[in-house]
Amino acid sequence: MKIGVQLYTLRSLMENDLWGTLARLAEAGFRNVELAGLYDRPVEEWAEKLGEFGLKVSSSHTGINEVEGDLTDVLHVTKALGYSTLVCPWVPAEAYAGGWTALGKRLDAAGQKLAEHGIQYGYHNHSFEMVKVGLQTGLEQLFAASSGANVIAEVDAYWIHHGGGDPAAYIQNLAGRIPLVHFKDMAPEGHFTEVGDGVLDWDDIIESCRIAGVEHAIIENDSPRIDPLESVCRSREFLISKGLKD
């Protein structure tokens, strides 16, 4: 299981010094990143800089609206940067107003369309999907309504816990369709914190990831309370202590 970082965590630094921040990330030992936009820079420049820094793209956060229409730009970016996994990072309330099953089918159609080009599509949860509708949570209904071949899971451990669920159990239940997990911890007060500094049971989560075949442990902190680079480095050090590698 490879350690990576969701670049959204570093957005405050990247907005002011994009390439300098990525260089510092590489110097700190990171080798894998998950994209959250290109900051208005051409993809060719991204390819050059990532190669220079020795960084590889594991995946990118790409909204469902971006993949339901013309795929020319999406395909150009994925090919230029050498990755083949896109993840829907969030949906507004109107997207699931018709029910989670309907959204699951919509994601399935988008995933099938991308699969024809050798790209897999996935869904990243927050905690609003954890509300039960009948006997199942919305998240369970979404994945039940979609094929594992068309819609993979990117479970966010913090948000599962925040919604009252057991991250390790969710990860194991999605074995075979969960190549990515967001590693994000919760402080006792409820806010985001560095992995290993909060209340989540990481031994249990990491073991579940191994059982489920998770390939990428992606560090994320939506709102770091310390310097964002220091935040992800502290999380990385903890994960290395648990046997994970870059």
Side-chain angles (χ1 to χ4, degrees), residues 76-128:
H76 176 61
V77 171
T78 56
K79 183 177 180 180
L81 299 184
Y83 67 97
S84 59
T85 300
L86 309 178
V87 180
C88 178
W90 177 84
V91 290
E94 56 265 27
Y96 55 91
W100 291 103
T101 295
L103 178 58
K105 291 180 178 178
R106 182 182 172 191
L107 288 163
D108 194 76
Q112 184 175 21
K113 178 182 174 182
L114 287 164
E116 294 172 359
H117 299 276
I119 298 172
Q120 59 182 358
Y121 199 43
Y123 187 80
H124 167 279
N125 66 279
H126 290 77
S127 57
F128 56 82

Side-chain angles (χ1 to χ4, degrees), residues 130-179:
M130 297 296 292
V131 175
K132 282 197 172 182
V133 183
L135 298 177
Q136 289 184 309
T137 64
L139 190 62
E140 289 167 335
Q141 291 187 7
L142 181 154
F143 285 122
S146 57
S147 163
N150 294 333
V151 183
I152 60 164
E154 180 177 64
V155 163
D156 185 299
Y158 171 98
W159 286 118
I160 294 290
H161 182 82
H162 184 272
D166 178 353
Y170 262 83
I171 290 165
Q172 286 201 45
N173 287 340
L174 289 163
R177 67 186 295 184
I178 180 168

Side-chain angles (χ1 to χ4, degrees), residues 23 28-29 31 49 57 62 67 81 90 95 104 116 124 126 129 132 142 147 170 174 192 203 207 213 228 233 239 244:
R31 294 294 174 263
K49 292 296 185 179
V57 178
T62 308
V67 299
L81 299 184
W90 177 84
E116 294 172 359
H124 167 279
H126 290 77
E129 301 95 338
K132 282 197 172 182
L142 181 154
S147 163
Y170 262 83
L174 289 163
F192 307 114
D203 287 335
E207 180 60 20
C233 286
L239 294 181
L244 278 70

Side-chain angles (χ1 to χ4, degrees), residues 172-187:
Q172 286 201 45
N173 287 340
L174 289 163
R177 67 186 295 184
I178 180 168
L180 317 160
V181 169
H182 271 192
F183 278 52
K184 181 191 305 178
D185 214 338
M186 177 186 287

Side-chain angles (χ1 to χ4, degrees), residues 34-103:
E34 181 175 64
L35 301 178
L38 298 181
Y39 292 82
D40 296 321
R41 300 295 184 95
V43 68
E44 292 78 12
E45 189 175 2
W46 270 89
E48 178 185 349
K49 292 296 185 179
L50 290 171
E52 178 183 333
F53 302 143
L55 294 171
K56 294 182 178 180
V57 178
S58 62
S59 47
S60 71
H61 276 187
T62 308
I64 189 169
N65 292 333
E66 297 179 64
V67 299
E68 287 183 316
D70 183 79
L71 291 177
T72 301
D73 289 343
V74 168
L75 296 177
H76 176 61
V77 171
T78 56
K79 183 177 180 180
L81 299 184
Y83 67 97
S84 59
T85 300
L86 309 178
V87 180
C88 178
W90 177 84
V91 290
E94 56 265 27
Y96 55 91
W100 291 103
T101 295
L103 178 58

